[in-house]
Amino acid sequence: MSKRDYYEILGVAKNISDSELKITYRRLAMKYHPDRNPGDAEAEAKFKECKEAYEILSDPNKRAVYDQYGHAGLNSSASGGRSSGGGFGDIFDDMFGDIFGGGRRSGNRAYRGSDLQYNLELTLEEAVFGTSVDIRIPSLQNCDSCNGTGAKKGTHPQTCPTCHGQGQIRLQQGFFSVQQTCPQCRGTGKIIPEPCPDCHGQGRIETQRTLSVKIPMGVDTGDRIRLSAEGEAGMNGGPAGDLYVQIYIKPHDLFTRDGDHLYCEVPIRFTTAALGGELEVPSLDGTVNLKIPPETQTGKKFRLRGKGVKSVRSATVGDLICSVAVETPVNLTKRQRELLEELAVTMEEGGQRHSPQEHSWVDKAKTFFEGVKDWFDAEKSGKKPEKKAD
């Protein structure tokens, strides 16, 4: 009896892709599986037929031979192919193992240690000029007594008899085959008959370590410094994780930082603001002379170039921006009060020439109140207020 064409059995074209072939076979295997068709001999025959067809067409070499020579070409190499007599569990592994975590995983796999984070507070000066800081961190390190094996000195871990070192066991019930972590070794693939008394079989112990961290010049809040392999120890010989030092800058009494620029508020006497003068202002590397021109107003900003912070990522140096605040005199003597009263009289006589901002503000306020009054008057009379020409 001649065999049916494999492509015809699966109902696909010869140019079908591997992914589409897999999807088609999965659908047919589910449809004709004996567990879903108990006592149906025809369904069982079709299931076996589909399985055989897929075994050939899913193998690129066998598929090439079949496409060229048909069934006759396969007969000469049948002894080297996979057996088609396996149960549905084998097919389930081939087709659905990627969904249900199929595929064997060794319980002896090495695992990388966890990364750690340390929050480090620095003063502005430390961040700007750089420093070296000793930090103390808790972490899991390999146990020295057992060299990380978890077994008592002189003994060794043994292969788990339940999963045979795989770390997982397979449970099959009818149609489904599911893998789960081995309950005896908990996925490690090993058991420890005599645990190490220091680490209790864990292979790692919690320790306190002191590390010296070099802080580069110009770091800012939010920057992270990575210390490679200074995190927790790995398992089963795996590499250690990394330690990340997160930088936070403490508030400063004089300066506020924004990127590479520094800002500070400088209070000045009202006489200095009016007549001009020169004063010393602080910077991170000493004092700087700041010239105050006559008639300086509160909020005036002066930029001192190159007196800010050197960028941690380039050679650029920021600026120091000084904002002046004119200070009103307090605790006046009788003579000082008399002099100020005389000054007030002369300023009144000079009009807006001496206080242009004040008079400008007063004019705007007067215009506003007149507009409000006109609006209320118009509301009372029922007339729309006339718009004044600008």
Side-chain angles (χ1 to χ4, degrees), residues 351-369:
Q352 66 178 7
R353 184 165 63 92
H354 301 306
S355 305
Q357 292 186 19
E358 177 189 359
H359 284 80
S360 175
W361 183 87
V362 170
D363 290 341
K364 291 178 181 177
K366 183 178 179 181
T367 302
F368 169 75
F369 285 118

Side-chain angles (χ1 to χ4, degrees), residues 62-135:
K62 292 181 179 180
R63 183 174 178 176
V65 172
Y66 178 74
D67 288 344
Q68 186 169 3
Y69 302 106
H71 293 290
L74 294 173
N75 291 335
S76 61
S77 59
S79 59
R82 292 187 298 176
S83 170
S84 61
F88 184 69
D90 297 330
I91 306 171
F92 194 91
D93 288 343
D94 294 340
M95 299 303 301
F96 304 105
D98 54 336
I99 298 176
F100 291 92
R104 294 185 176 182
R105 293 182 293 174
S106 173
N108 300 324
R109 175 185 173 188
Y111 292 93
R112 181 178 180 274
S114 299
D115 293 334
L116 299 177
Q117 177 173 306
Y118 185 90
N119 297 330
L120 178 62
E121 277 195 336
L122 299 173
T123 65
L124 180 61
E125 290 83 358
E126 289 173 332
V128 171
F129 298 113
T131 185
S132 183
V133 180
D134 289 338
I135 62 174

